[in-house]
Amino acid sequence: MSTAIRPVSPPPGVEHPSLVPALLLADSLSGDPAGGEARPGGPVRRSVRDWLVDGVLFVVAVLFGLLVVAEAWSRPDPPTDGLLFLDLVVGSLGCVALWGRRRWPVGVALLLALIGTFSDMAGAAVLITLFTVAVHRPWRTVALVAALNAAAAGVYVFLRPDPDLPVPVVGALLVVLTAAVVAWGMFVRARRQLVHSLRERAVRAEEEQRLRVDQARQLERTRIAREMHDVLAHRLSLLSMHAGALEFRPDAPPAEVARAAGVVRASARQALEDLREVVGVLRDTAETGAERPQPTLSDVPALIEENRRAGLRVRAEYRVADLASAPASVGRTAYRVVQEGLTNARKHAPGAVATVTVTGGPGDGVTVCVANPAGLGQEPDVALPGAGTGLVGLLERVGLAGGHLEHGWTADSDFRLRVWLPWAADGAAA
């Protein structure tokens, strides 16, 4: 049962596949730079380069064999006519067998070693097949074939001695020639393996770079989503609260309606500004390498005042000597905690008084507590939308900062969000 010859598609990056050995392309695709016996998919189709090389080697083997046979026939004591005829016929068949050396290198090498015991015509063909085995087969197989070729050379010297050179000299020359061909073939094999390993390393590096880019893109998307939740949920909850007041109090005094409409307009504009900043995070980071300004602990009072102006009743207490002295990472996380706590108070406890307490200092850490009772007024018909991921995002933020978070209802029926963040004694972030 014959095996179909399969074509090989060149891997990406090979500009001239016709000038590359087809077997080397197949090795790079199958991950077998050694060119072992078992090759998935069967033999491969020769490339243009393979046809040219095989043709040149066949011509060289035939011409060299004819020159050697002619030299032996012109000697004063030539071999018999029968031996010369047998040498020409069998040696020519051995040269023709070179066309199968790529598919059956070991078999062709053993056949030519047998022919080389008496044939001058097949001398070059024997060395070519030995070189092929040294390139494409493991060293154990190469050593076995080389030993058989050395034994065949000893038989040749015994059957057809040279009248001008002693037998030991001829034998030594044949052994040295065999060793040189094997060494050359092993060198080519090692070079191909090196090229293959370098190519694999380059492909692996490209794949790892692609994975790193994908991971960075995913992390950046997560960061943007977190920023959008923290910033826009705060702004849009203010806007929704005042819009709801206008909806449920259509008979309110014109001054109060105008004030609420102004707050809605200002909140909507600020939400658009925040959205522009958040969406521009990736572009700003990629182009300038700088992050947009982030809030700190000293910005918490301004955040609370903003909520008070928007109608949320907040009682704040600061027990930190200097809010601005807090590390940037700690202050940013504390700011987001207060922002999320006030946003949840507006959503789930309308009319209630929220209490914000910030305590701590260097060495003791910062404790942020946002508490509010249940809502006092009537709940709106439509609740404010939420993804339910605010506390999850805060938990991740606090965990990355090295702190811990607690939330839930207390014995006094207050919902409390309490976060502790580390603050090193030297003022550096933990």
Side-chain angles (χ1 to χ4, degrees):
M1 181 177 178
S2 59
T3 304
I5 305 297
R6 61 185 176 100
V8 176
S9 300
V14 179
E15 297 182 357
H16 304 286
S18 60
L19 301 181
V20 180
L23 198 57
L24 186 59
L25 294 178
D27 291 339
S28 65
L29 292 176
S30 63
D32 179 21
E37 296 279 359
R39 185 175 305 283
V44 297
R45 182 178 298 174
R46 288 184 176 90
S47 65
V48 176
R49 181 258 186 198
D50 293 340
W51 282 107
L52 291 176
V53 170
D54 291 348
V56 170
L57 291 179
F58 173 75
V59 172
V60 168
V62 171
L63 292 179
F64 181 82
L66 291 176
L67 289 177
V68 175
V69 171
E71 190 275 333
W73 182 70
S74 63
R75 291 177 185 174
D77 187 15
T80 62
D81 294 340
L83 181 58
L84 287 176
F85 178 77
L86 182 63
D87 190 349
L88 284 173
V89 173
V90 177
S92 299
L93 293 177
C95 293
V96 173
L98 286 176
W99 292 99
R101 68 185 179 89
R102 296 184 182 273
R103 189 170 181 181
W104 305 286
V106 177
V108 174
L110 295 178
L111 175 63
L112 285 173
L114 179 62
I115 297 175
T117 56
F118 64 91
S119 175
D120 287 335
M121 183 71 186
V126 171
L127 297 178
I128 292 172
T129 55
L130 180 60
F131 174 81
T132 303
V133 172
V135 170
H136 297 291
R137 290 297 179 263
W139 67 270
R140 296 177 185 270
T141 305
V142 176
L144 177 61
V145 174
L148 293 177
N149 274 269
V155 176
Y156 173 85
V157 173
F158 177 77
L159 294 178
R160 304 186 62 174
D162 193 316
D164 298 330
L165 293 175
V167 172
V169 174
V170 176
L173 289 176
L174 292 177
V175 171
V176 170
L177 185 59
T178 300
V181 171
V182 171
W184 184 21
M186 297 293 286
F187 170 77
V188 173
R189 173 186 173 83
R191 183 177 179 276
R192 289 187 178 182
Q193 289 179 332
L194 176 62
V195 171
H196 178 78
S197 64
L198 293 177
R199 178 176 180 79
E200 275 191 338
R201 190 176 303 173
V203 172
R204 191 182 306 112
E206 292 178 359
E207 183 66 18
E208 291 176 353
Q209 176 66 16
R210 185 186 66 80
L211 292 177
R212 283 194 296 268
V213 170
D214 291 343
Q215 183 181 12
R217 185 182 295 113
Q218 185 63 33
L219 292 176
E220 200 64 30
R221 288 175 180 174
T222 303
R223 186 163 70 97
I224 289 179
R226 187 184 296 116
E227 291 290 329
M228 291 183 69
H229 176 273
D230 293 340
V231 176
L232 294 184
H234 170 71
R235 300 294 179 188
L236 295 180
S237 62
L238 288 175
L239 190 152
S240 178
M241 183 179 67
H242 285 277
L246 291 176
E247 179 184 1
F248 288 99
R249 291 290 306 277
D251 56 343
E256 185 176 345
V257 172
R259 185 179 65 84
V263 173
V264 170
R265 178 184 59 81
S267 298
R269 184 181 64 180
Q270 189 61 41
L272 290 176
E273 291 293 330
D274 291 338
L275 178 63
R276 180 185 61 80
E277 291 181 2
V278 170
V279 173
V281 168
L282 274 177
R283 183 182 300 109
D284 294 341
T285 303
E287 293 179 358
T288 66
E291 297 284 350
R292 69 188 184 97
Q294 296 292 325
T296 62
L297 191 61
S298 61
D299 296 321
V300 171
L303 173 65
I304 293 177
E305 289 300 323
E306 179 185 6
N307 281 270
R308 286 172 175 167
R309 290 194 300 269
L312 180 64
R313 295 189 296 172
V314 185
R315 182 168 55 247
E317 183 179 359
Y318 310 104
R319 300 176 184 173
V320 178
D322 185 8
L323 295 176
S325 63
S329 61
V330 173
R332 180 170 60 252
T333 305
Y335 182 93
R336 296 305 184 194
V337 170
V338 175
Q339 188 179 55
E340 179 65 21
L342 296 180
T343 300
N344 290 336
R346 277 195 305 273
K347 286 183 178 181
H348 307 296
V353 178
T355 302
V356 177
T357 306
V358 181
T359 61
D364 298 329
V366 176
T367 301
V368 179
C369 183
V370 181
N372 60 269
L376 302 178
Q378 185 177 357
E379 294 287 345
D381 295 337
V382 180
L384 293 180
T389 59
L391 292 179
V392 177
L394 278 186
L395 183 61
E396 183 179 355
R397 281 182 181 271
V398 173
L400 291 176
H404 53 77
L405 179 148
E406 301 173 359
H407 64 88
W409 293 97
T410 65
D412 299 331
S413 299
D414 289 344
F415 184 85
R416 185 179 66 179
L417 174 64
R418 185 178 183 276
V419 171
W420 177 86
L421 299 169
W423 185 349
D426 57 357

